[in-house]
Amino acid sequence: MTERTERRDTGASGTSTDVWDASELELEGATMSQEGMEIPLPSPGGDDESGPTPELARAALAQGGTASQWRLVWRRFRRHKVAFVALWVVLAIYLIMAFAEVLAPSTATAQDPDYAYAPPQALHIYHPSEGLGLYVHDFTVTQNPETFANEFEIDTDSYIPVGFFVSGEPYEMWGLFPMDVHLIGPEDPDRPFYLWGADRAGRDSLSRILYGSRVSLSIGLVGVAISLVLGIALGGISGYYGGKPDTLIQRIIEFLMAIPTLPLWLALSAAIPASWGPLARYFAITAILSVIGWTGMARQVRGKFLSLRTEDFITAATLDGCSRPRIIFRHMVPSFSSHVIASLTMAVPGMILAETSLSFLGLGLQAPAVSWGVLLQDAQNIRTIETAPWLLLPGLAIFITVLAMNFVGDGLRDAADPYK
Amino acid sequence: MGKYTLRRIGLMVITLVAISFVTFWIIQLPPGDYVSTLVAQAESRGQVITPEQMAALRVRYGLDDPFLVQYWNWISNIVFHGDFGQSFAYNRPVSTLIWDRVALSFFLSVSTLLFVWAVAFPVGIYSAVKQYSPGDYIATFFGFVGMAIPEFLLALVFLWLGVRYFDQSAGGLFSPEYVDAAWNLGKVLDLASHLWLPILIIGISGTAGLIRVTRANLLDELYKPYVITARAKGLSEWKLLVKYPVRMSLSPFFSTVGWLLPGLISGETIISIVLSLPTTGPLLFGGVLSQDMYLVGSFILILSALTVVGTLLSDLALAWWDPRIRRRYQES
Amino acid sequence: MLQTPTSDQTTSRRLDPDAPPVLQLTGLRTEFQLEDGVVTAVDGVDLTIRRGETLAVVGESGCGKSVMARSILQLVDRPGRIVGGQVWVPRPASTEVERARGRSRRRRRRRETPAETTVAPEGMVGLIGADPAIIRAVRGKRIAMVFQEPMTSLSAVHRVGDQITEAIQLHAPMPKDVARERAIDLLRRVGIAAPEKRVDAYPFELSGGMRQRVMIAMALSCDPELLIADEPTTALDVTTQAQILELLASLRDERGMAIMLITHDLGVAAQLADSVAVMYLGNVVERGDLAEIFRSPRHPYTRALLRSIPKLGQGRDIRLAPVRGMVPHPFARPSGCPFHDRCDSFQPGRCDTAPPPLIRDDQGHEVRCVLYEEDK
Ligand SMILES: Nc1ncnc2c1ncn2[C@@H]1O[C@H](COP(=O)(O)OP(=O)(O)O)[C@@H](O)[C@H]1O
Ligand code: SF4
Ligand SMILES: [Mg+2]
């Protein structure tokens, strides 16, 4: 299995063969010393023009010069149009997450059973009699005598004016400041306003999705952070020292990777005591996800260490008598941090998907907590989807987030490793 | 090679033992044990179990024995008698519940694996050879989309579409008339006609991932010096492509089984729950909800073992395929 | 191991100056379109190699030797593109072309290409823009190549014998066992011990030197008229290097093929070549007989190069004088003479305005430098 591993590693991070040897004309009998190797630079000081050729990128790496390396990566990243757009999308998503309370027209818990499964209302701009201005129509609600379900009819005669920064449902901003301002909402807080429909308790889907982003997005970050620490530590040991520690860690990784993740998650989450509160559960789930997540990161780091170990500048540092930790942290870590960031970006969506799957099955976070997975739990039943297909909308949020993150990660990887 | 195979099988056994330990640990993980579950069940029926009875039961089931002894009892029953313990929820031996389902799960996963290969490989090659062509962009875009949709969401959407527009349920693996029928040609055909949708859904993210892997692998190989050497011989581009880079890029392809299979089994589990397929998924899920740990543990053990065996087979296939790997095996 | 060329080496071979050319490059230009700009790696190279001639192409790393060599058989890596000039080779027999066309009989009609706009020299065909079948008929059969990296230039998953027989059978259909016998003969000829066994070896079971021998055997398998050897010894240790050079020399004498030997090592050039072409930044700046060039180098760049060769008996501690300055960045090509920013004889206003003319003396010694203009 080791063989398989290594092959995969080199596949992911193999250094390209050196077609550009930067050594000057080598004359027979004249022994070229290392310091005689010169790398052509365009013009001293013109560093923002640097990076057109691999030599330069390599030179930047070799100097361990993080600043110029980051500039290179950034320049190449910007050229990757889709990834660049996706980056803005991701930033926007995290901003939305941060200000979810204000952005949401309502709160995650405010409910109105009269409007259970109310369909989405269209937001209109121009009213024939009232003139320009945002508004929605009200519903006429009738109860089906057989099923007792509410049936909604748009009442085109009604007029619910909608405004910006209206006061509505009270909430606590970041759990600290009591507020009631909402970016958008009905001017009369008692009128219905369900842009993305309502769930079975008449709660506003849009607000719940916005609130749900808190858990869904942060669990990705926290989980990846844990994976990162584990992965870098173990992958670093494995790749730098090789030998016995390497073999042991590789075996553990292989072992963890051999177990189908979902059944394992299921089993582990089954073991979480039902009595635990939401916060404890949150961390337990994160920990469970990270147990598996770190292996991929560790492999990446190990592969990178293995290929870096043989590169000249590391050898040079070793010969210079630098200590091991110093070599690792001063020279090796900076030179692959861009790769690590790229794979982190790729790992976050995996975590988000995993949390969503678990919560969807009812094994992750549980009901009073809102996350996208928890919200999708409402859509588990085909009857429900039939009556209220908008309950699938959290899926759209997941899709957009994961897609954008994957694009960013891919662009970052390309930018960090252009020789592929 | 023979020696290597033996060694690999030895390693596999060690891995399996490790897996069995973890499984048993998981089985023991939830608070409470078999007897407390029995007591709870009895109480719910209105019976009362005295502490003495409880103690007797604990002795009988060896629940106060050290972990290793309990582990040994459990695993030796599995290995020597095929006895996976008792399911609390069904009050039946686990072994009577699972095998049909494991077989279907296995069948579904392997079919999906073949599907994934059949699609991802040609598309990946095309994408690499025609890099930056419209086809490549489409494949790449599909790859990203496929990786961004959670499988269960896709299943839900298909369910909804099926009910809404085709007025038929996408769930299940058999039409009602075949569910309890004995196996015959009709049942097989019926199965096949129900199977494509789960295969498609389960396979989509694997396909997307594998397209990208294949494309990247081939792009890595396409411009290697040995390809130029072959071209310099005067080979035609098509022959060249098939004989050299494609062949080389197939090596990682074999090794993908190792990560594809666990992924497919995970996907299969959740899809089966959503589409209520009679595979391991729903049973495992039910077991987890009711903390029916022997049932859960058995599934984990069996699914992991299947994965490990699958990985071993793929590694051996890889050695057969790639002389470099074979050689490394011979050396080690 | 270095010697400046000794007279016996250069006089032992007499070349027929009127022998027909096996390769003629006219104004060959190859560019790399990179994200940040265009690198003109080969910038208008004219070169002729006659039958049996050994031409050494020398120059610093990065001056475009490899790109030039690969352009000949259109093997340039992406994003390289041949943007001008022509590669003339003797027209291959139509049977060979048809064979190379293989089963795909679709004869692709090509649009107007440079090949048709310039007049072909007698009996030659231009490869740039030619029918792919013609190019394939030339590759391996008429012109074979040996590359610098013996480690990666062979496919690791095919037996070396199969890689050689593939080349043999491609251009001369014959039963597999006959081809195999020939492969064994070739391996024996290039000095591989126990060729019957090695023929079934995988490349990774061979040492670097042996792999390079295999590469040479493969290149020789179809009796090419011209062997292009791109730094064939650079990746090898000194002893192996000498053996490979000797092997090349003896093969050349035995088969009468021409060799284009690409090297950044003047010592290697001196050992094998009849004539030398000196490249600088994608230009051939000087070309002439080996002895001529070593005896009386003309171009300031060649002179600087030769100055930097250690002389026999020179003390070890004397530091060599390398060429002053650094190779300019590929995007920052100096105007006029590309060498002018490093040249000791630089004449402002003259060297940096227009490309210097090609000056040719009666012996065929060519140089691209204003110092040798008639009126000077
Ligand atoms: N694949 C490539 N991509 C971009 N530029 C290249 C590539 N190959 C060669 N070059 C450029 O062409 C120039 C000549 O390279 P090369 O012919 O390999 O030099 P050498 O004389 O050492 O063989 C180099 O300066 C390099 O910038
Ligand atoms: S042309 Fe001028 S700059 Fe160029 S080599 Fe001759 S003297 Fe030097
Ligand atoms: Mg070169």
Side-chain angles (χ1 to χ4, degrees):
Chain A
M1 251 190 235
T2 329
E3 281 74 13
R4 182 164 55 82
T5 319
E6 278 167 12
R7 295 196 39 71
R8 213 188 297 163
D9 284 341
T10 46
S13 60
T15 49
S16 52
T17 40
D18 201 354
V19 276
W20 303 273
D21 54 337
S23 60
E24 285 195 354
L25 183 71
E26 193 177 331
L27 293 166
E28 198 153 334
T31 36
M32 291 295 299
S33 58
Q34 288 278 14
E35 83 239 48
M37 293 179 51
E38 277 171 307
I39 293 144
L41 286 164
S43 57
D47 52 359
D48 50 354
E49 283 305 289
S50 66
T53 63
E55 290 106 301
L56 294 170
R58 210 161 285 208
L61 283 180
Q63 285 150 10
T66 37
S68 57
Q69 184 204 349
W70 283 112
R71 198 169 296 153
L72 280 176
V73 170
W74 176 238
R75 260 163 50 91
R76 282 192 298 256
F77 181 79
R78 266 202 332 221
R79 222 173 272 135
H80 210 294
K81 298 251 162 36
V82 181
F84 193 61
V85 173
L87 179 66
W88 287 108
V89 174
V90 171
L91 289 180
I93 289 173
Y94 273 93
L95 270 179
I96 290 174
M97 169 190 117
F99 297 100
E101 289 100 335
V102 181
L103 297 174
S106 177
T107 64
T109 43
Q111 49 184 348
D112 188 347
D114 289 348
Y115 290 99
Y117 293 130
Q121 288 159 298
L123 194 60
H124 301 277
I125 298 175
Y126 181 76
H127 192 273
S129 59
E130 307 281 340
L132 211 58
L134 291 174
Y135 71 96
V136 293
H137 290 300
D138 200 349
F139 304 101
T140 43
V141 189
T142 49
Q143 202 167 49
N144 185 315
E146 281 161 33
T147 60
F148 299 106
N150 287 338
E151 283 176 358
F152 294 88
E153 193 99 25
I154 302 266
D155 173 13
T156 43
D157 297 334
S158 61
Y159 175 76
I160 304 178
V162 170
F164 288 108
F165 297 106
V166 292
S167 61
E169 203 55 47
Y171 56 88
E172 280 178 354
M173 187 70 193
W174 296 326
L176 298 174
F177 316 109
M179 286 169 70
D180 67 355
V181 178
H182 296 269
L183 173 69
I184 190 170
E187 275 163 13
D188 174 1
D190 294 331
R191 310 293 302 269
F193 185 66
Y194 297 107
L195 288 182
W196 285 10
D199 70 357
R200 74 184 127 71
R203 291 171 294 203
D204 176 31
S205 291
L206 174 59
S207 302
R208 284 170 71 75
I209 290 175
L210 291 176
Y211 276 74
S213 66
R214 284 273 158 85
V215 168
S216 292
L217 294 173
S218 67
I219 221 164
L221 291 186
V222 177
V224 164
I226 301 179
S227 302
L228 175 73
V229 173
L230 275 172
I232 290 209
L234 291 170
I237 292 174
S238 196
Y240 191 83
Y241 290 97
K244 284 241 163 57
D246 181 33
T247 318
L248 181 68
I249 292 173
Q250 286 302 306
R251 288 274 165 276
I252 295 176
I253 291 181
E254 277 156 20
F255 168 66
L256 283 175
M257 289 186 104
I259 306 180
T261 41
L262 194 81
L264 184 63
W265 286 335
L266 287 184
L268 285 177
S269 57
I272 301 179
S275 56
W276 284 17
L279 197 67
R281 233 184 145 76
Y282 174 95
F283 280 108
I285 295 292
T286 319
I288 289 174
L289 296 183
S290 318
V291 165
I292 314 292
W294 69 273
T295 54
M297 183 67 58
R299 289 200 152 179
Q300 280 257 334
V301 173
R302 171 176 176 272
K304 216 54 213 158
F305 264 102
L306 283 182
S307 64
L308 271 177
R309 213 161 42 153
T310 52
E311 291 224 353
D312 291 339
F313 68 99
I314 298 296
T315 320
T318 317
L319 292 179
D320 279 354
C322 292
S323 67
R324 284 201 159 182
R326 192 181 153 78
I327 292 175
I328 294 181
F329 288 104
R330 281 286 305 153
H331 299 274
M332 292 172 95
V333 171
S335 72
F336 66 71
S337 48
S338 50
H339 293 265
V340 170
I341 288 190
S343 37
L344 280 183
T345 325
M346 310 278 256
V348 176
M351 291 270 174
I352 293 180
L353 287 180
E355 182 274 330
T356 311
S357 304
L358 275 186
S359 298
F360 169 73
L361 290 176
L363 293 167
L365 290 159
Q366 271 159 12
V370 270
S371 81
W372 290 340
V374 172
L375 293 180
L376 279 172
Q377 234 179 308
D378 290 346
Q380 232 175 30
N381 183 319
I382 183 65
R383 294 283 146 242
T384 323
I385 303 179
E386 249 189 300
T387 21
W390 52 90
L391 290 182
L392 288 174
L393 279 173
L396 188 68
I398 296 168
F399 175 67
I400 292 174
T401 309
V402 173
L403 190 65
M405 286 183 174
N406 277 338
F407 275 130
V408 173
D410 196 60
L412 267 179
R413 195 188 45 200
D414 280 357
D417 196 2
Y419 322 120
K420 305 218 349 145
Chain B
M1 198 59 203
K3 237 171 83 189
Y4 167 74
T5 312
L6 280 182
R7 229 184 54 131
R8 279 304 313 271
I9 292 177
L11 259 178
M12 184 186 79
V13 170
I14 296 175
T15 314
L16 286 178
V17 170
I19 288 177
S20 69
F21 265 106
V22 170
T23 308
F24 192 65
W25 173 72
I26 291 176
I27 289 179
Q28 304 261 299
L29 209 50
D33 54 33
Y34 190 28
V35 169
S36 50
T37 315
L38 278 184
V39 170
Q41 281 180 352
E43 276 169 359
S44 70
R45 285 193 300 268
Q47 300 168 344
V48 182
I49 294 184
T50 61
E52 290 74 38
Q53 279 174 305
M54 261 178 80
L57 279 172
R58 295 184 70 82
V59 173
R60 189 171 137 216
Y61 290 110
L63 292 180
D64 296 319
D65 292 341
F67 179 83
L68 275 181
V69 174
Q70 291 194 43
Y71 167 77
W72 174 249
N73 288 337
W74 173 73
I75 194 75
S76 58
N77 270 333
I78 291 177
V79 176
F80 299 121
H81 310 293
D83 173 10
F84 284 84
Q86 188 80 8
S87 157
F88 309 138
Y90 294 83
N91 254 324
R92 276 175 35 194
V94 169
S95 52
T96 61
L97 292 166
I98 53 175
W99 287 113
D100 280 358
R101 296 190 171 241
V102 167
L104 261 184
S105 272
F106 185 71
F107 176 67
L108 195 55
S109 299
V110 170
S111 316
T112 311
L113 186 67
L114 296 179
F115 164 79
V116 167
W117 275 345
V119 175
F121 193 39
V123 174
I125 290 179
Y126 176 86
S127 210
V129 174
K130 304 263 175 190
Q131 199 187 4
Y132 304 134
S133 67
D136 177 31
Y137 282 119
I138 292 173
T140 304
F141 184 74
F142 166 77
F144 275 105
V145 170
M147 283 191 292
I149 305 183
E151 287 118 343
F152 69 85
L153 191 64
L154 204 63
L156 285 178
V157 170
F158 271 106
L159 267 182
W160 179 58
L161 289 179
V163 171
R164 172 129 200 188
Y165 295 102
F166 302 102
D167 203 24
Q168 72 167 53
S169 160
L173 276 187
F174 301 101
S175 308
E177 63 266 33
Y178 284 111
V179 171
D180 291 317
W183 282 99
N184 59 28
L185 185 67
K187 187 165 178 172
V188 172
L189 290 180
D190 184 55
L191 176 65
S193 70
H194 279 81
L195 213 51
W196 66 270
L197 187 62
I199 287 183
L200 185 74
I201 296 173
I202 302 167
I204 247 172
S205 83
T207 310
L210 197 57
I211 286 178
R212 295 200 52 73
V213 170
T214 312
R215 177 178 181 273
N217 281 340
L218 191 55
L219 278 177
D220 258 6
E221 296 295 333
L222 272 182
Y223 304 101
K224 289 259 173 85
Y226 71 89
V227 182
I228 304 206
T229 308
R231 190 172 289 133
K233 284 180 193 173
L235 273 179
S236 66
E237 287 300 311
W238 178 243
K239 267 195 203 157
L240 181 86
L241 180 72
V242 173
K243 185 157 178 190
Y244 293 95
V246 167
R247 199 199 137 126
M248 285 282 213
S249 67
L250 265 182
S251 291
F253 201 70
F254 276 104
S255 54
T256 51
V257 180
W259 58 262
L260 211 50
L261 210 51
L264 292 182
I265 290 182
S266 294
E268 190 265 323
T269 307
I270 194 163
I271 294 305
S272 302
I273 297 170
V274 176
L275 296 182
S276 50
L277 307 181
T279 64
T280 50
L283 204 56
L284 171 63
F285 180 57
V288 167
L289 288 184
S290 57
Q291 295 206 336
D292 191 352
M293 292 318 276
Y294 281 97
L295 185 65
V296 172
S298 309
F299 276 132
I300 298 210
L301 190 67
I302 293 170
L303 293 180
S304 309
L306 285 178
T307 314
V308 173
V309 173
T311 310
L312 172 74
L313 290 181
S314 79
D315 275 5
L316 292 179
L318 178 63
W320 160 78
W321 179 255
D322 190 329
R324 290 169 297 182
I325 309 259
R326 203 152 64 223
R327 151 107 160 181
R328 233 181 297 161
Y329 288 169
Q330 277 153 5
E331 280 170 356
S332 57
Chain C
M1 183 183 105
L2 170 97
Q3 315 78 27
T4 37
T6 48
S7 49
D8 57 73
Q9 257 180 321
T10 42
T11 49
S12 63
R13 286 168 48 78
R14 275 273 156 260
L15 277 179
D16 175 5
D18 298 323
V22 289
L23 173 72
Q24 206 169 339
L25 305 181
T26 51
L28 187 65
R29 275 173 67 89
T30 304
E31 287 179 355
F32 287 88
Q33 259 143 14
L34 304 179
E35 287 161 350
D36 308 72
V38 175
V39 173
T40 308
V42 177
D43 190 7
V45 163
D46 301 307
L47 267 184
T48 303
I49 301 185
R50 298 188 179 280
R51 174 161 297 160
E53 175 182 357
T54 302
L55 170 74
V57 177
V58 300
E60 281 161 297
S61 279
C63 69
K65 306 181 297 290
S66 298
V67 175
M68 187 267 283
R70 287 173 184 220
S71 302
I72 295 171
L73 289 180
Q74 291 171 41
L75 302 171
V76 194
D77 281 334
R78 289 189 326 167
R81 237 161 45 86
I82 301 172
V83 292
Q86 190 50 281
V87 175
W88 302 104
V89 296
R91 182 177 284 282
S94 61
T95 51
E96 287 170 13
V97 177
E98 286 316 307
R99 188 176 305 131
R101 196 185 304 284
R103 249 165 298 163
S104 68
R105 295 242 157 237
R106 279 174 297 126
R107 200 184 285 256
R108 250 181 263 154
R109 272 287 115 224
R110 303 225 136 214
R111 268 166 287 123
E112 193 77 351
T113 56
E116 288 145 42
T117 54
T118 45
V119 186
E122 177 76 21
M124 309 271 274
V125 61
L127 286 186
I128 312 293
D131 178 352
I134 295 186
I135 301 174
R136 288 206 298 272
V138 171
R139 284 179 182 165
K141 171 74 181 144
R142 297 307 189 91
I143 301 180
M145 278 193 84
V146 174
F147 297 95
Q148 176 174 350
E149 310 92 5
M151 296 299 166
T152 51
S153 293
L154 288 165
S155 160
V157 297
H158 295 90
R159 297 171 195 279
V160 295
D162 293 341
Q163 297 186 51
I164 298 176
T165 47
E166 178 184 44
I168 297 175
Q169 288 182 303
L170 197 60
H171 295 287
M174 61 177 73
K176 191 140 187 68
D177 47 338
V178 182
R180 186 183 155 88
E181 280 311 308
R182 270 190 67 176
I184 294 176
D185 283 344
L186 281 163
L187 288 177
R188 184 176 299 120
R189 178 61 199 92
V190 296
I192 286 187
E196 304 80 7
K197 263 175 54 197
R198 292 279 158 67
V199 75
D200 289 323
Y202 287 100
F204 52 78
E205 296 169 331
L206 305 176
S207 69
M210 287 222 263
R211 285 188 220 185
Q212 198 59 298
R213 285 171 199 267
V214 170
M215 281 297 289
I216 294 174
M218 198 155 83
L220 292 179
S221 61
C222 298
D223 254 322
E225 294 170 327
L226 171 64
L227 177 71
I228 301 177
D230 186 357
E231 315 243 12
T233 59
T234 307
L236 306 176
D237 65 75
V238 180
T239 330
T240 322
Q241 203 169 1
Q243 289 168 351
I244 296 284
L245 288 179
E246 267 164 40
L247 172 66
L248 283 178
S250 73
L251 288 169
R252 170 194 65 189
D253 297 341
E254 173 184 309
R255 302 179 177 228
M257 67 183 174
I259 297 182
M260 177 189 277
L261 177 71
I262 290 164
T263 176
H264 61 226
D265 185 331
L266 287 171
V268 168
Q271 243 175 310
L272 208 61
D274 306 311
S275 44
V276 176
V278 181
M279 278 187 79
Y280 186 78
L281 277 190
N283 283 123
V284 173
V285 294
E286 183 164 8
R287 185 198 197 289
D289 270 358
L290 177 80
E292 263 288 303
I293 290 208
F294 272 79
R295 199 180 309 122
S296 54
R298 294 192 161 182
H299 198 279
Y301 177 61
T302 319
R303 280 193 251 151
L305 279 187
L306 284 168
R307 258 205 313 280
S308 64
I309 296 188
K311 300 286 181 301
L312 278 180
Q314 199 174 39
R316 276 199 144 264
D317 47 321
I318 295 177
R319 220 169 134 66
L320 299 171
V323 185
R324 179 172 66 85
M326 282 197 295
V327 183
H329 190 264
F331 293 138
R333 251 184 105 76
S335 58
C337 171
F339 188 56
H340 80 240
D341 60 334
R342 300 168 77 186
C343 180
D344 292 326
S345 324
F346 170 58
Q347 300 176 359
R350 202 155 167 234
C351 299
D352 52 358
T353 47
L358 181 73
I359 320 284
R360 191 188 158 97
D361 74 5
D362 305 338
Q363 280 84 51
H365 191 153
E366 295 169 357
V367 62
R368 238 175 232 285
C369 173
V370 295
L371 296 180
Y372 303 94
E373 271 183 306
E374 284 299 292
D375 54 348
K376 179 101 187 38

